[in-house]
Amino acid sequence: MSPAIAGAAIGAVLAVVALAFGFWGFLLAALLMGAGAAAGRAAEGRLDVRGVADALRGKRSSS
């Protein structure tokens, strides 16, 4: 799936959620979609979870 199609699908899902459940439903859906994307990248090995945790704790910078 190309990034353009994936972005359009994500936008459509968020638009439907916003219309059906309002702002808080939209916010929850966006948060859960982000968490799912991060979990998927970690499972594929394309996200260094330990490096992200270190950066969030201030032990390491991203640059």
Side-chain angles (χ1 to χ4, degrees):
M1 181 181 302
S2 75
I5 292 174
I10 291 169
V13 168
L14 289 176
V16 169
V17 168
L19 289 172
F21 300 109
F23 174 74
W24 295 111
F26 166 81
L27 196 61
L28 179 63
L31 179 69
L32 292 175
M33 289 174 89
R41 283 186 171 261
E44 288 178 346
R46 294 174 40 190
L47 178 66
D48 180 19
V49 179
R50 186 168 294 155
V52 171
D54 286 344
L56 290 173
R57 286 184 288 196
K59 291 186 175 183
R60 200 166 104 182
S61 70
S62 60
S63 55

